[in-house]
Amino acid sequence: MNMSVSSSTGNLLARSQVRWRLCWENELALADHTELAEFFRKAYGPNGEFNAAPFEGSRSWSGARPELRIIAYDSNGVAGHAGILRRFIKVGETDLLVAEIGLYAVRRDVEGHGVTYQGALRVGYPVLQKLDAPFGFAAVRPAMRKHIERIGRNGMANILTGVRVRSTRRDVYLNVPPTLVEEALLVVLPIGRPMSEWPSGTMIDRNGPEL
């Protein structure tokens, strides 16, 4: 499943058209993984060497590996990315199937010019509806609040605060616990069920590494 949607809005995009690609993980070639790995190293590297470390070589994922990717391209290559993975999480005491959305990044020179979190979700939403998961779910660090506020304002998703998320670390280290608990902003997209059926709870267990 390779699909593309073109966009040419904004001053920057008027000069350089953006193409969105939706693809399953097994549709990516080695060249795709290599290009994405370089993109992630450049996107996450300015926030610390540790953040770029998972993407050495041609590794194009951080913790859990996505099953579906939303990739934006322009004339300079990869401009943005979001990954999707269906998984069961535990919200409070309730097990819940979700389509988790993560591994989000935007190339710095196109930030605010159409390649946004909201844009990625709009492109991916028709596919999310076909995945048979009742909710889309993303745990976003508080520093990304400005990137996701617009999604909540336009009614596309709900932003929840005051929630902690527990994940396994992507590797096992002898000097730290095998799990990590983080404060997060939750982005919840009602897909097959209304928001009123999202379980209550201030702790979410991924029972696996973050996407």
Side-chain angles (χ1 to χ4, degrees):
M1 184 263 301
N2 273 292
M3 300 172 56
S4 64
V5 180
S6 295
S7 173
S8 59
T9 58
N11 293 332
L12 176 64
L13 301 188
R15 298 192 302 271
S16 178
Q17 191 176 67
V18 165
R19 175 176 61 88
W20 290 93
R21 176 189 178 193
L22 298 174
C23 60
W24 295 102
E25 187 72 357
N26 62 7
E27 293 173 337
L28 293 177
L30 177 59
D32 294 317
H33 287 292
T34 300
E35 184 179 24
L36 285 168
E38 181 180 6
F39 163 75
F40 286 124
R41 288 195 297 270
K42 291 179 178 178
Y44 292 136
N47 297 323
E49 183 178 349
F50 178 81
N51 295 313
F55 306 105
E56 290 300 320
S58 297
R59 177 173 164 146
S60 66
W61 61 94
S62 176
R65 189 165 177 170
E67 60 177 327
L68 181 68
R69 294 180 187 254
I70 307 169
I71 310 171
Y73 295 91
D74 66 6
S75 59
N76 293 315
V78 177
H81 179 280
I84 298 174
L85 174 66
R86 283 170 291 189
R87 71 194 311 171
F88 278 93
I89 62 174
K90 180 168 282 189
V91 184
E93 297 300 318
T94 303
D95 287 316
L96 182 68
L97 174 64
V98 297
E100 181 169 2
I101 305 157
L103 201 57
Y104 171 74
V106 173
R107 207 175 65 226
R108 296 203 170 202
D109 63 301
V110 297
E111 286 182 352
H113 293 279
V115 185
T116 62
Y117 199 94
Q118 181 180 6
L121 292 185
R122 284 192 180 280
V123 170
Y125 193 79
V127 177
L128 286 171
Q129 291 178 304
K130 298 177 181 180
L131 295 181
D132 291 329
F135 296 99
F137 156 81
V140 180
R141 290 170 178 80
M144 282 191 62
R145 177 181 288 271
K146 290 184 179 179
H147 292 270
I148 64 172
E149 281 181 339
R150 186 179 298 177
I151 304 172
R153 287 198 300 267
N154 68 16
M156 185 178 183
N158 296 268
I159 313 300
L160 306 181
T161 60
V163 179
R164 295 182 298 161
V165 179
R166 180 163 46 212
S167 311
T168 58
R169 298 183 189 271
R170 58 176 173 259
D171 294 302
V172 176
Y173 304 96
L174 296 179
N175 59 338
V176 293
T179 60
L180 175 68
V181 178
E182 298 177 289
E183 296 288 336
L185 297 173
L186 293 192
V187 181
V188 180
L189 287 79
I191 301 173
R193 289 162 55 181
M195 190 63 198
S196 60
E197 295 187 22
W198 178 263
S200 61
T202 57
M203 172 66 81
I204 291 179
D205 274 304
R206 276 194 176 99
N207 288 313
E210 71 173 313
L211 187 57

